[in-house]
Coordinates of all heavy atoms in Angstrom, one line a residue:
L1 N 40.1 24.2 4.8 CA 39.5 23.0 5.4 C 40.5 21.8 5.2 O 40.9 21.7 4.1 CB 38.1 22.7 4.8 CG 37.1 23.8 4.8 CD1 35.9 23.4 3.9 CD2 36.7 24.0 6.3
V2 N 40.7 21.1 6.2 CA 41.7 19.9 6.1 C 41.0 18.7 6.7 O 40.7 18.7 7.9 CB 43.0 20.3 6.9 CG1 44.0 19.0 6.8 CG2 43.6 21.4 6.3
E3 N 40.8 17.7 5.9 CA 40.1 16.5 6.4 C 41.2 15.5 6.9 O 42.3 15.5 6.4 CB 39.3 15.7 5.3 CG 38.2 16.6 4.7 CD 38.6 17.3 3.4 OE1 39.9 17.6 3.2 OE2 37.8 17.6 2.5
S4 N 40.8 14.6 7.8 CA 41.6 13.5 8.2 C 40.7 12.4 8.7 O 39.5 12.6 9.0 CB 42.5 14.0 9.3 OG 41.9 14.4 10.4
G5 N 41.3 11.2 8.9 CA 40.6 10.1 9.6 C 40.2 8.9 8.6 O 39.7 8.0 9.1
G6 N 40.4 9.1 7.3 CA 40.0 8.1 6.4 C 41.0 6.9 6.5 O 42.0 6.9 7.1
G7 N 40.6 5.7 5.8 CA 41.4 4.6 5.9 C 40.7 3.4 5.3 O 39.6 3.5 4.7
L8 N 41.3 2.2 5.4 CA 40.8 1.0 5.0 C 40.2 0.2 6.1 O 40.9 -0.1 7.1 CB 41.9 0.1 4.3 CG 41.5 -1.3 3.8 CD1 40.4 -1.2 2.7 CD2 42.8 -2.0 3.2
V9 N 38.9 -0.2 6.0 CA 38.3 -0.9 7.1 C 37.4 -2.0 6.4 O 37.2 -2.0 5.2 CB 37.4 0.0 7.9 CG1 38.2 1.1 8.6 CG2 36.3 0.7 7.1
Q10 N 36.9 -2.9 7.2 CA 36.0 -4.0 6.8 C 34.5 -3.5 7.0 O 34.2 -2.7 7.8 CB 36.2 -5.2 7.6 CG 37.5 -5.9 7.4 CD 37.7 -7.2 8.2 OE1 37.0 -7.4 9.2 NE2 38.6 -8.1 7.7
A11 N 33.7 -4.1 6.3 CA 32.2 -3.9 6.3 C 31.8 -4.2 7.8 O 32.2 -5.1 8.4 CB 31.4 -4.7 5.4
G12 N 31.0 -3.2 8.3 CA 30.5 -3.2 9.7 C 31.4 -2.4 10.6 O 30.9 -2.2 11.7
D13 N 32.5 -2.0 10.2 CA 33.5 -1.2 11.0 C 33.0 0.2 11.0 O 32.0 0.6 10.5 CB 34.9 -1.3 10.6 CG 35.5 -2.6 10.9 OD1 35.0 -3.5 11.7 OD2 36.6 -2.8 10.4
S14 N 33.6 1.1 12.0 CA 33.4 2.4 12.1 C 34.6 3.3 11.9 O 35.7 2.9 12.0 CB 32.9 2.8 13.5 OG 31.7 2.1 13.8
L15 N 34.4 4.5 11.4 CA 35.4 5.5 11.2 C 34.9 6.8 11.7 O 33.7 7.1 11.5 CB 35.9 5.6 9.8 CG 36.9 4.6 9.2 CD1 37.1 4.8 7.7 CD2 38.2 4.7 10.0
R16 N 35.8 7.7 12.1 CA 35.4 9.1 12.4 C 36.3 10.0 11.6 O 37.5 10.1 11.8 CB 35.5 9.5 13.8 CG 34.9 10.8 14.2 CD 34.9 11.3 15.6 NE 36.3 11.6 16.0 CZ 36.6 12.3 17.2 NH1 35.6 12.6 18.0 NH2 37.9 12.5 17.5
L17 N 35.7 10.8 10.7 CA 36.4 11.8 9.9 C 36.4 13.2 10.6 O 35.4 13.5 11.2 CB 35.7 11.9 8.5 CG 35.6 10.6 7.7 CD1 35.0 11.0 6.3 CD2 37.0 10.0 7.5
S18 N 37.4 13.9 10.5 CA 37.6 15.2 11.0 C 37.9 16.3 9.9 O 38.5 16.0 8.9 CB 38.6 15.2 12.1 OG 38.5 14.4 13.2
C19 N 37.3 17.4 10.1 CA 37.6 18.6 9.3 C 37.9 19.8 10.1 O 37.0 20.3 10.7 CB 36.3 18.8 8.4 SG 36.4 20.3 7.3
A20 N 39.1 20.2 10.0 CA 39.6 21.3 10.8 C 39.5 22.6 9.8 O 40.0 22.6 8.8 CB 41.0 21.1 11.3
A21 N 38.9 23.7 10.3 CA 38.6 24.8 9.6 C 39.5 26.0 10.1 O 39.9 26.0 11.3 CB 37.1 25.2 9.7
S22 N 39.8 26.9 9.3 CA 40.6 28.1 9.7 C 39.8 28.9 10.6 O 38.5 28.8 10.8 CB 40.9 28.9 8.5 OG 39.8 29.3 7.7
G23 N 40.4 29.7 11.4 CA 39.9 30.5 12.4 C 39.0 31.7 12.1 O 39.3 32.8 12.5
R24 N 38.0 31.4 11.3 CA 37.0 32.6 11.0 C 35.8 32.5 11.9 O 35.7 31.6 12.7 CB 36.5 32.4 9.5 CG 37.6 32.3 8.5 CD 38.3 33.7 8.4 NE 39.0 33.8 7.0 CZ 40.2 33.3 6.7 NH1 41.0 32.7 7.6 NH2 40.7 33.5 5.5
A25 N 35.0 33.5 11.8 CA 33.7 33.4 12.5 C 32.7 32.6 11.7 O 32.4 32.9 10.6 CB 33.1 34.8 12.8
F26 N 32.3 31.5 12.3 CA 31.5 30.5 11.4 C 30.0 30.6 11.8 O 29.1 29.8 11.2 CB 31.9 29.1 11.7 CG 33.3 28.9 11.1 CD1 34.5 28.7 11.7 CD2 33.4 28.8 9.7 CE1 35.7 28.6 11.2 CE2 34.6 28.5 9.1 CZ 35.8 28.5 9.8
S27 N 29.5 31.5 12.6 CA 28.2 31.8 12.7 C 27.6 32.2 11.4 O 28.3 33.1 10.7 CB 27.8 32.8 13.8 OG 28.4 34.1 13.5
G28 N 26.5 31.7 10.9 CA 25.9 31.9 9.7 C 26.5 31.1 8.6 O 26.1 31.2 7.4
Y29 N 27.3 30.1 9.0 CA 27.8 29.0 8.0 C 27.2 27.7 8.2 O 26.7 27.3 9.3 CB 29.3 28.9 8.2 CG 30.1 30.0 7.4 CD1 30.3 31.3 8.0 CD2 30.7 29.7 6.2 CE1 31.0 32.2 7.2 CE2 31.5 30.6 5.5 CZ 31.7 31.8 6.1 OH 32.4 32.8 5.4
A30 N 27.2 26.9 7.1 CA 27.0 25.6 7.1 C 28.2 24.8 6.7 O 28.9 25.2 5.8 CB 25.8 25.2 6.2
M31 N 28.4 23.6 7.3 CA 29.5 22.7 7.1 C 28.9 21.5 6.6 O 28.0 20.9 7.2 CB 30.4 22.5 8.3 CG 30.9 23.8 8.9 SD 32.0 24.7 7.9 CE 33.5 23.6 8.1
G32 N 29.4 20.9 5.4 CA 28.9 19.7 4.9 C 30.0 18.7 4.6 O 31.2 19.0 4.4
W33 N 29.5 17.4 4.4 CA 30.4 16.3 4.0 C 29.8 15.9 2.7 O 28.6 15.6 2.5 CB 30.5 15.2 5.0 CG 31.3 15.5 6.2 CD1 30.9 16.0 7.4 CD2 32.7 15.3 6.3 NE1 31.9 16.1 8.3 CE2 33.1 15.7 7.6 CE3 33.7 14.9 5.4 CZ2 34.4 15.8 8.0 CZ3 35.1 14.9 5.8 CH2 35.4 15.3 7.1
F34 N 30.6 15.6 1.7 CA 30.3 15.0 0.4 C 31.3 13.9 0.1 O 32.3 13.8 0.7 CB 30.4 16.1 -0.7 CG 29.4 17.2 -0.5 CD1 29.6 18.3 0.3 CD2 28.3 17.3 -1.4 CE1 28.8 19.3 0.4 CE2 27.4 18.4 -1.3 CZ 27.7 19.3 -0.4
R35 N 30.9 13.0 -0.8 CA 31.7 11.9 -1.2 C 31.7 11.7 -2.7 O 30.7 12.0 -3.3 CB 31.5 10.7 -0.4 CG 30.0 10.1 -0.7 CD 29.8 8.9 0.2 NE 28.5 8.3 -0.1 CZ 27.9 7.3 0.7 NH1 28.6 6.9 1.8 NH2 26.9 6.8 0.3
Q36 N 32.8 11.1 -3.3 CA 32.8 10.8 -4.7 C 33.6 9.6 -4.9 O 34.7 9.5 -4.5 CB 33.4 12.0 -5.5 CG 33.3 11.9 -7.0 CD 33.7 13.1 -7.7 OE1 34.5 13.9 -7.1 NE2 33.2 13.2 -8.9
A37 N 33.1 8.6 -5.6 CA 33.7 7.4 -6.0 C 34.1 7.6 -7.5 O 33.5 8.4 -8.2 CB 32.8 6.2 -5.9
P38 N 35.2 6.9 -7.9 CA 35.7 7.0 -9.3 C 34.5 6.6 -10.3 O 33.9 5.6 -10.1 CB 36.8 6.0 -9.3 CG 37.3 5.8 -8.0 CD 36.2 6.0 -7.1
G39 N 34.4 7.5 -11.2 CA 33.3 7.3 -12.3 C 32.0 7.7 -11.9 O 31.0 7.5 -12.7
K40 N 31.8 8.2 -10.7 CA 30.5 8.6 -10.2 C 30.5 10.1 -9.8 O 31.6 10.7 -9.6 CB 30.2 7.8 -8.9 CG 30.0 6.3 -9.2 CD 29.5 5.5 -8.0 CE 29.3 4.1 -8.2 NZ 28.9 3.3 -7.0
E41 N 29.3 10.6 -9.7 CA 29.2 12.0 -9.4 C 29.4 12.2 -7.9 O 29.1 11.4 -7.1 CB 27.8 12.6 -9.8 CG 27.5 12.7 -11.3 CD 26.3 13.4 -11.6 OE1 25.3 13.5 -10.6 OE2 26.0 13.7 -12.7
R42 N 29.8 13.4 -7.6 CA 29.9 13.8 -6.2 C 28.5 13.8 -5.6 O 27.6 14.4 -6.2 CB 30.6 15.1 -6.0 CG 30.8 15.6 -4.6 CD 31.5 16.9 -4.5 NE 30.8 17.9 -5.2 CZ 31.1 19.2 -5.5 NH1 32.4 19.5 -5.3 NH2 30.3 20.0 -6.0
E43 N 28.3 13.2 -4.3 CA 27.1 13.2 -3.7 C 27.1 13.8 -2.3 O 28.1 13.6 -1.6 CB 26.5 11.8 -3.7 CG 27.2 10.8 -2.8 CD 26.6 9.4 -2.7 OE1 25.3 9.4 -2.9 OE2 27.3 8.4 -2.5
F44 N 25.9 14.3 -2.0 CA 25.9 14.9 -0.6 C 25.8 13.9 0.4 O 25.0 12.8 0.2 CB 24.6 15.9 -0.6 CG 24.2 16.2 0.8 CD1 24.9 17.3 1.5 CD2 23.1 15.6 1.4 CE1 24.4 17.7 2.8 CE2 22.8 16.0 2.7 CZ 23.4 17.0 3.4
V45 N 26.4 14.0 1.6 CA 26.3 13.0 2.7 C 25.6 13.6 3.9 O 24.6 13.0 4.4 CB 27.7 12.6 3.0 CG1 27.7 11.6 4.3 CG2 28.4 11.9 2.0
A46 N 26.1 14.8 4.3 CA 25.4 15.3 5.6 C 25.8 16.8 5.7 O 26.9 17.2 5.1 CB 25.8 14.6 6.9

């Protein structure tokens, strides 16, 4: 999995993150996004 699309933005702005996956059969899989800030636990996003 390779993420891209992050950056520095102002409050109220928008970003689109991408996650490119290897060429497996992904039926029966779930794909998720998580985030982690310094000093905080990793949390589920979507």
